[in-house]
mmCIF file of all heavy atoms in Angstrom:
data_model
loop_
_atom_site.group_PDB
_atom_site.id
_atom_site.type_symbol
_atom_site.label_atom_id
_atom_site.label_comp_id
_atom_site.label_asym_id
_atom_site.label_seq_id
_atom_site.Cartn_x
_atom_site.Cartn_y
_atom_site.Cartn_z
ATOM 1 N N ILE H 1 123.435 95.564 104.387
ATOM 2 C CA ILE H 1 123.764 95.008 105.701
ATOM 3 C C ILE H 1 125.156 94.388 105.656
ATOM 4 O O ILE H 1 125.960 94.583 106.573
ATOM 5 C CB ILE H 1 122.693 94.003 106.167
ATOM 6 C CG1 ILE H 1 121.394 94.749 106.497
ATOM 7 C CG2 ILE H 1 123.175 93.214 107.375
ATOM 8 C CD1 ILE H 1 120.219 93.854 106.812
ATOM 9 N N ASP H 2 125.443 93.651 104.586
ATOM 10 C CA ASP H 2 126.779 93.051 104.441
ATOM 11 C C ASP H 2 127.869 94.116 104.371
ATOM 12 O O ASP H 2 129.009 93.881 104.770
ATOM 13 C CB ASP H 2 126.844 92.159 103.196
ATOM 14 C CG ASP H 2 126.062 90.865 103.369
ATOM 15 O OD1 ASP H 2 125.688 90.521 104.515
ATOM 16 O OD2 ASP H 2 125.818 90.192 102.338
ATOM 17 N N ALA H 3 127.507 95.316 103.878
ATOM 18 C CA ALA H 3 128.474 96.409 103.786
ATOM 19 C C ALA H 3 128.632 97.143 105.121
ATOM 20 O O ALA H 3 129.406 98.079 105.218
ATOM 21 C CB ALA H 3 128.045 97.394 102.703
ATOM 22 N N GLY H 4 127.874 96.722 106.131
ATOM 23 C CA GLY H 4 128.033 97.303 107.461
ATOM 24 C C GLY H 4 126.954 98.278 107.876
ATOM 25 O O GLY H 4 126.994 98.803 108.989
ATOM 26 N N GLU H 5 126.002 98.554 107.027
ATOM 27 C CA GLU H 5 124.930 99.474 107.411
ATOM 28 C C GLU H 5 123.993 98.795 108.396
ATOM 29 O O GLU H 5 123.729 97.601 108.315
ATOM 30 C CB GLU H 5 124.145 99.924 106.170
ATOM 31 C CG GLU H 5 124.931 100.847 105.268
ATOM 32 C CD GLU H 5 124.065 101.450 104.176
ATOM 33 O OE1 GLU H 5 122.934 101.888 104.471
ATOM 34 O OE2 GLU H 5 124.532 101.473 103.024
ATOM 35 N N LYS H 6 123.462 99.568 109.328
ATOM 36 C CA LYS H 6 122.487 99.070 110.306
ATOM 37 C C LYS H 6 121.096 99.466 109.815
ATOM 38 O O LYS H 6 120.791 100.648 109.682
ATOM 39 C CB LYS H 6 122.744 99.674 111.687
ATOM 40 C CG LYS H 6 124.126 99.418 112.231
ATOM 41 C CD LYS H 6 124.274 97.976 112.633
ATOM 42 C CE LYS H 6 125.644 97.772 113.265
ATOM 43 N NZ LYS H 6 126.216 96.500 112.966
ATOM 44 N N LEU H 7 120.289 98.493 109.549
ATOM 45 C CA LEU H 7 118.917 98.746 109.107
ATOM 46 C C LEU H 7 117.971 98.127 110.128
ATOM 47 O O LEU H 7 117.889 96.900 110.236
ATOM 48 C CB LEU H 7 118.670 98.154 107.714
ATOM 49 C CG LEU H 7 119.471 98.773 106.570
ATOM 50 C CD1 LEU H 7 119.246 98.002 105.277
ATOM 51 C CD2 LEU H 7 119.082 100.227 106.384
ATOM 52 N N PRO H 8 117.263 98.956 110.906
ATOM 53 C CA PRO H 8 116.350 98.403 111.907
ATOM 54 C C PRO H 8 115.264 97.559 111.242
ATOM 55 O O PRO H 8 114.753 97.919 110.185
ATOM 56 C CB PRO H 8 115.755 99.638 112.588
ATOM 57 C CG PRO H 8 116.211 100.823 111.820
ATOM 58 C CD PRO H 8 117.243 100.393 110.852
ATOM 59 N N GLY H 9 114.969 96.457 111.864
ATOM 60 C CA GLY H 9 113.924 95.584 111.335
ATOM 61 C C GLY H 9 114.448 94.524 110.396
ATOM 62 O O GLY H 9 113.676 93.717 109.871
ATOM 63 N N ALA H 10 115.750 94.497 110.154
ATOM 64 C CA ALA H 10 116.319 93.492 109.258
ATOM 65 C C ALA H 10 117.637 93.002 109.838
ATOM 66 O O ALA H 10 118.380 93.759 110.453
ATOM 67 C CB ALA H 10 116.547 94.077 107.872
ATOM 68 N N ALA H 11 117.897 91.754 109.648
ATOM 69 C CA ALA H 11 119.157 91.160 110.095
ATOM 70 C C ALA H 11 119.459 89.979 109.199
ATOM 71 O O ALA H 11 118.557 89.375 108.614
ATOM 72 C CB ALA H 11 119.049 90.709 111.547
ATOM 73 N N VAL H 12 120.723 89.666 109.097
ATOM 74 C CA VAL H 12 121.135 88.488 108.337
ATOM 75 C C VAL H 12 121.383 87.379 109.350
ATOM 76 O O VAL H 12 122.109 87.556 110.321
ATOM 77 C CB VAL H 12 122.412 88.777 107.516
ATOM 78 C CG1 VAL H 12 122.900 87.511 106.840
ATOM 79 C CG2 VAL H 12 122.139 89.862 106.492
ATOM 80 N N ARG H 13 120.740 86.249 109.131
ATOM 81 C CA ARG H 13 120.921 85.099 110.001
ATOM 82 C C ARG H 13 121.649 84.029 109.205
ATOM 83 O O ARG H 13 121.229 83.666 108.111
ATOM 84 C CB ARG H 13 119.567 84.576 110.477
ATOM 85 C CG ARG H 13 119.674 83.369 111.383
ATOM 86 C CD ARG H 13 118.345 82.934 111.930
ATOM 87 N NE ARG H 13 117.376 82.720 110.850
ATOM 88 C CZ ARG H 13 116.202 82.166 111.014
ATOM 89 N NH1 ARG H 13 115.813 81.776 112.187
ATOM 90 N NH2 ARG H 13 115.388 82.006 109.993
ATOM 91 N N SER H 14 122.731 83.547 109.753
ATOM 92 C CA SER H 14 123.517 82.521 109.075
ATOM 93 C C SER H 14 123.663 81.323 109.996
ATOM 94 O O SER H 14 123.573 81.443 111.207
ATOM 95 C CB SER H 14 124.908 83.058 108.720
ATOM 96 O OG SER H 14 124.790 84.144 107.837
ATOM 97 N N GLY H 15 123.899 80.195 109.400
ATOM 98 C CA GLY H 15 124.104 78.982 110.175
ATOM 99 C C GLY H 15 123.710 77.774 109.369
ATOM 100 O O GLY H 15 123.404 77.860 108.180
ATOM 101 N N ASP H 16 123.741 76.663 110.014
ATOM 102 C CA ASP H 16 123.404 75.404 109.356
ATOM 103 C C ASP H 16 121.918 75.124 109.468
ATOM 104 O O ASP H 16 121.265 75.523 110.427
ATOM 105 C CB ASP H 16 124.172 74.245 110.010
ATOM 106 C CG ASP H 16 125.674 74.374 109.818
ATOM 107 O OD1 ASP H 16 126.077 74.942 108.788
ATOM 108 O OD2 ASP H 16 126.418 73.912 110.692
ATOM 109 N N THR H 17 121.399 74.444 108.469
ATOM 110 C CA THR H 17 120.032 73.953 108.528
ATOM 111 C C THR H 17 120.059 72.470 108.225
ATOM 112 O O THR H 17 120.933 71.980 107.500
ATOM 113 C CB THR H 17 119.129 74.657 107.490
ATOM 114 O OG1 THR H 17 119.655 74.447 106.186
ATOM 115 C CG2 THR H 17 119.022 76.154 107.764
ATOM 116 N N ALA H 18 119.126 71.754 108.814
ATOM 117 C CA ALA H 18 119.021 70.320 108.553
ATOM 118 C C ALA H 18 118.290 70.132 107.228
ATOM 119 O O ALA H 18 117.305 70.812 106.951
ATOM 120 C CB ALA H 18 118.258 69.626 109.677
ATOM 121 N N VAL H 19 118.787 69.247 106.400
ATOM 122 C CA VAL H 19 118.209 69.031 105.080
ATOM 123 C C VAL H 19 118.087 67.545 104.787
ATOM 124 O O VAL H 19 118.733 66.718 105.439
ATOM 125 C CB VAL H 19 119.057 69.691 103.965
ATOM 126 C CG1 VAL H 19 119.136 71.191 104.172
ATOM 127 C CG2 VAL H 19 120.444 69.097 103.903
ATOM 128 N N TYR H 20 117.262 67.232 103.827
ATOM 129 C CA TYR H 20 117.228 65.888 103.259
ATOM 130 C C TYR H 20 116.834 66.021 101.812
ATOM 131 O O TYR H 20 116.200 66.990 101.411
ATOM 132 C CB TYR H 20 116.281 64.948 104.024
ATOM 133 C CG TYR H 20 114.811 65.145 103.740
ATOM 134 C CD1 TYR H 20 114.199 64.475 102.685
ATOM 135 C CD2 TYR H 20 114.041 65.987 104.517
ATOM 136 C CE1 TYR H 20 112.851 64.651 102.424
ATOM 137 C CE2 TYR H 20 112.702 66.164 104.273
ATOM 138 C CZ TYR H 20 112.111 65.490 103.224
ATOM 139 O OH TYR H 20 110.781 65.666 102.967
ATOM 140 N N ALA H 21 117.240 65.071 101.014
ATOM 141 C CA ALA H 21 116.892 65.075 99.594
ATOM 142 C C ALA H 21 116.716 63.638 99.140
ATOM 143 O O ALA H 21 117.589 62.805 99.345
ATOM 144 C CB ALA H 21 117.979 65.754 98.772
ATOM 145 N N VAL H 22 115.569 63.388 98.546
ATOM 146 C CA VAL H 22 115.311 62.078 97.963
ATOM 147 C C VAL H 22 115.862 62.132 96.546
ATOM 148 O O VAL H 22 115.661 63.116 95.819
ATOM 149 C CB VAL H 22 113.804 61.755 97.963
ATOM 150 C CG1 VAL H 22 113.539 60.418 97.314
ATOM 151 C CG2 VAL H 22 113.261 61.788 99.390
ATOM 152 N N ASP H 23 116.558 61.104 96.148
ATOM 153 C CA ASP H 23 117.207 61.045 94.840
ATOM 154 C C ASP H 23 116.191 61.354 93.740
ATOM 155 O O ASP H 23 115.140 60.717 93.639
ATOM 156 C CB ASP H 23 117.819 59.657 94.644
ATOM 157 C CG ASP H 23 118.669 59.574 93.392
ATOM 158 O OD1 ASP H 23 118.130 59.786 92.289
ATOM 159 O OD2 ASP H 23 119.869 59.280 93.532
ATOM 160 N N ARG H 24 116.484 62.356 92.925
ATOM 161 C CA ARG H 24 115.580 62.805 91.864
ATOM 162 C C ARG H 24 115.275 61.678 90.873
ATOM 163 O O ARG H 24 114.155 61.567 90.372
ATOM 164 C CB ARG H 24 116.207 64.001 91.133
ATOM 165 C CG ARG H 24 115.293 64.654 90.146
ATOM 166 C CD ARG H 24 114.298 65.537 90.857
ATOM 167 N NE ARG H 24 113.002 65.395 90.222
ATOM 168 C CZ ARG H 24 111.855 65.755 90.754
ATOM 169 N NH1 ARG H 24 111.816 66.280 91.937
ATOM 170 N NH2 ARG H 24 110.726 65.610 90.104
ATOM 171 N N ALA H 25 116.258 60.853 90.580
ATOM 172 C CA ALA H 25 116.040 59.742 89.649
ATOM 173 C C ALA H 25 115.010 58.772 90.217
ATOM 174 O O ALA H 25 114.174 58.233 89.487
ATOM 175 C CB ALA H 25 117.357 59.020 89.364
ATOM 176 N N LEU H 26 115.037 58.559 91.530
ATOM 177 C CA LEU H 26 114.044 57.674 92.160
ATOM 178 C C LEU H 26 112.654 58.306 92.125
ATOM 179 O O LEU H 26 111.653 57.611 91.920
ATOM 180 C CB LEU H 26 114.456 57.353 93.602
ATOM 181 C CG LEU H 26 115.692 56.482 93.764
ATOM 182 C CD1 LEU H 26 116.066 56.354 95.230
ATOM 183 C CD2 LEU H 26 115.471 55.104 93.138
#
């Protein structure tokens, strides 16, 4: 897909996602 081929039923979705991380040491 990144090389430009069209494959029905698949797509690349990009963007931001909301995240959180609790400090591993804690």
Side-chain angles (χ1 to χ4, degrees):
I1 290 173
D2 288 346
E5 290 189 44
K6 303 288 184 215
L7 295 174
V12 175
R13 180 175 54 170
S14 298
D16 295 330
T17 59
V19 299
Y20 77 88
V22 178
D23 188 299
R24 188 78 220 163
L26 292 174

